[in-house]
Every structure is written in C-alpha cells, then in structure tokens.
C-alpha cells in the first residue's frame, strides 16, 4: 500500500469516527436538554409545594395563636 492509499484509508477511518462521535454528542445533548427540562419542572413543582407548605403552616400557627 503506498503512502497516498494509507492516508486515504486513515482519512476514511477518521471520518467514520468523527461521524460516530458527532452522533453520540447529539444524542447526549438531546438527553441533557430533556433532563434539564425535567429538572426545571421538578424544581418549580418543589418550589410550589414548599410555598404551599409554608402557607399552611402559617395558617395553622395563626389559628393556634387565636385559640390560645
């Protein structure tokens, strides 16, 4: 195999590896976006839950103070 053929073979191999890496990177980016969206949804839900708990506790404490 001459030098030109070896270089072409290496280029072909590198192009295949590049495409494989690009596809995996895209898959990881998509997963990260989906996970990031879900994380945001859960974070917002927990903020809402926490706010509701605080409201209920404040109402409970207020009612306990008025009955004392």
């Amino acid at each position: 195999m001459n030098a030109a053929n070896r270089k072409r073979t290496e280029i072909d191999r590198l192009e295949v590896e590049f495409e494989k890496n690009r596809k995996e990177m895209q898959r990881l980016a998509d997963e990260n976006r989906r996970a990031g969206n879900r994380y945001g949804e859960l974070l917002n839900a927990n903020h809402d839950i926490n706010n509701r708990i605080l409201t209920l506790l404040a109402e409970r404490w207020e009612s306990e103070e008025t009955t004392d």
Side-chain angles (χ1 to χ4, degrees), residues 11-23:
I11 290 170
D12 290 344
R13 182 186 61 77
L14 291 171
E15 286 176 338
V16 168
E17 184 177 350
F18 179 88
E19 184 62 19
K20 183 184 118 218
N21 289 348
R22 186 193 66 75
K23 286 179 181 179

Side-chain angles (χ1 to χ4, degrees), residues 3 14 17 19-21 33 36 38-39 44 48 55 57 65:
L14 291 171
E17 184 177 350
E19 184 62 19
K20 183 184 118 218
N21 289 348
R33 250 188 311 282
R38 183 64 180 140
Y39 180 88
N44 287 335
D48 293 343
T55 299
L57 286 172
E65 287 177 359

Side-chain angles (χ1 to χ4, degrees), residues 30-67:
D30 291 343
E31 285 178 12
N32 192 30
R33 250 188 311 282
R34 282 191 300 275
N37 289 340
R38 183 64 180 140
Y39 180 88
E41 290 170 2
L42 293 171
L43 183 63
N44 287 335
N46 278 353
H47 282 301
D48 293 343
I49 290 167
N50 190 51
N51 288 339
R52 182 64 180 147
I53 290 169
L54 291 174
T55 299
L56 292 171
L57 286 172
E59 289 172 2
R60 181 174 154 194
W61 293 328
E62 187 178 306
S63 70
E64 288 175 359
E65 287 177 359
T66 57
T67 58

